[in-house]
Amino acid sequence: MCHPFLAFKKFLNKMLTFFCLRTEKLTCVNAIFPAILYNCGERKEDAMHIQDCLEEILHLEDTDLAASLADASRLFSCKKRQLVAKPDACSDWIPFLVSGVIRGYLTDEKGRDITDCFLYRPGEAVLSLSILTASFPINFEAVTDCVLLSIPTQLLAEQFQQSAELQQLYSSYLLEKLKLERELKLLLGISSAMERYQWFLRRYPELADVVSIKHIASFLCMSPVSLSRLRGQLRKRGEEPPVKQSRLSEKSGLF
C-alpha cells in the first residue's frame, strides 16, 4: 500500500501538472484592466513594491524567491463588476488577490449565472478548485474595486519545481479548497436553508452586506426571496451578527 504522504505528493504533482500545463482553462485578460499600477519591475522601486506585496499576501520567507517573482509580476487595479478572469483561453498569468472581493460563477444553459465561490482574503489565487479537477466554465468578476497581483504562469511553474516553500504554500491552498468544497457539499445536501445561511455568516462574516442577496442566495442554492425572508427572521430575533467590513482590507492571507 502506498504511504499516505507519497500518495498525497503524487496527487499534488498531478494537480500542479494540470494547473501549469492546462492553462487554457483560465485566463487573466490583461486588456480588461483599466490600470497597471506597477508593471514588471520596470523601475527598481516598482519591483521592490511588488516584492513587499508578495511577501505580505503570500507570507514568503524566501526573499530571493520573492525578488525573482517580483521582477516579472504586475499589479493591476480592477473596478467593481469588471471581469477579472474567464475560461477557455490561453493564460500567461495567474492573478492573486491583494485587496477587494471577487466572485466566481458558472453560466447554465439558460444563461443564468450560478455563484461558485467568493475570494476575499489577500493571497487567494483567482482560481476555482473545480478548474484544477474538471473543465467547468468558471468566470470571475470583481464584487468591489480590487487590486490583483499577476505572476507569469511559466515562471511560477519553474520556481515551484525548485522551491519547497512554494510547494508547501500550494499544498496548503489545495487542502483548504478541498476542505471548503467538501464542507459546502455536505451543507447543501443535508442542511436547511436557515442552517446554510447561518453557516455563510460564520464562514464569511465580512461579506454579508458586501455581496448582493442574489449572489449569496445562488451560492447557497436558494432563491433571493427565501434569503430575504431568512435575514428578516434573524434580524427580528437579534441573531444576525454585525458585519465587520474593515476586515476586508486586512492582510490576513490564505496561508
Side-chain angles (χ1 to χ4, degrees):
M1 180 179 295
C2 183
H3 190 278
F5 175 78
L6 295 178
F8 175 74
K9 184 177 181 181
K10 183 177 179 181
F11 172 73
L12 187 61
N13 287 334
K14 288 175 66 177
M15 290 298 97
L16 178 72
T17 300
F18 191 95
F19 177 50
C20 294
L21 299 182
R22 296 289 298 280
T23 53
E24 73 276 4
K25 296 301 177 187
L26 176 71
T27 181
C28 172
V29 188
N30 296 337
I32 68 173
F33 292 106
I36 298 177
L37 302 181
Y38 295 94
N39 185 8
C40 292
E42 291 176 348
R43 297 183 302 169
K44 184 177 180 180
E45 56 267 33
D46 293 350
M48 291 177 64
H49 182 88
I50 292 177
Q51 180 174 343
D52 290 342
C53 186
L54 270 169
E55 292 175 356
E56 190 171 7
I57 67 171
L58 295 181
H59 302 313
L60 291 177
E61 297 180 359
D62 186 338
T63 55
D64 290 337
L65 170 63
S68 175
L69 294 175
D71 284 340
S73 298
R74 297 180 181 180
L75 270 174
F76 292 102
S77 67
C78 188
K79 295 296 184 182
K80 181 179 179 179
R81 296 190 181 90
Q82 192 169 4
L83 184 67
V84 175
K86 64 181 182 180
D88 303 326
C90 182
S91 173
D92 296 325
W93 302 87
I94 300 297
F96 293 82
L97 187 65
V98 177
S99 64
V101 180
I102 289 175
R103 179 179 74 100
Y105 66 94
L106 306 90
T107 304
D108 66 15
E109 65 279 359
K110 296 183 179 180
R112 297 172 298 191
D113 68 70
I114 302 169
T115 300
D116 175 74
C117 62
F118 296 107
L119 308 176
Y120 70 99
R121 288 182 291 177
E124 289 192 281
V126 184
L127 180 73
S128 173
L129 178 62
S130 57
I131 293 177
L132 292 176
T133 55
S135 182
F136 291 124
I138 304 291
N139 295 276
F140 291 90
E141 70 171 4
V143 175
T144 66
D145 291 350
C146 298
V147 174
L148 299 164
L149 190 150
S150 290
I151 303 175
T153 304
Q154 185 60 39
L155 176 62
L156 203 56
E158 292 171 356
Q159 292 291 343
F160 183 91
Q161 300 300 330
Q162 306 170 22
S163 172
E165 185 176 11
L166 272 184
Q167 292 171 16
Q168 179 59 45
L169 288 174
Y170 182 76
S171 65
S172 297
Y173 177 82
L174 184 61
L175 287 173
E176 175 71 13
K177 286 289 186 180
L178 286 168
K179 178 181 177 182
L180 177 58
E181 292 256 336
R182 176 171 174 78
E183 186 177 341
L184 185 58
K185 182 178 180 179
L186 290 174
L187 182 83
L188 297 178
I190 64 175
S191 300
S192 66
M194 177 63 83
E195 289 170 336
R196 276 177 265 158
Y197 182 54
Q198 289 174 325
W199 170 87
F200 179 86
L201 292 175
R202 293 192 301 271
R203 183 84 186 195
Y204 303 101
E206 300 88 346
L207 303 186
D209 283 351
V210 176
V211 180
S212 71
I213 288 180
K214 173 184 175 182
H215 294 149
I216 295 174
S218 173
F219 181 61
L220 298 175
C221 294
M222 64 179 74
S223 71
V225 173
S226 296
L227 179 55
S228 294
R229 188 179 302 116
L230 294 176
R231 295 182 75 168
Q233 292 174 11
L234 288 176
R235 287 195 181 101
K236 286 182 180 179
R237 285 152 42 180
E239 296 181 7
E240 190 166 15
V243 179
K244 302 175 181 178
Q245 296 187 36
S246 61
R247 290 182 58 188
L248 290 175
S249 61
E250 291 182 3
K251 299 298 187 288
S252 55
L254 175 65
F255 307 112

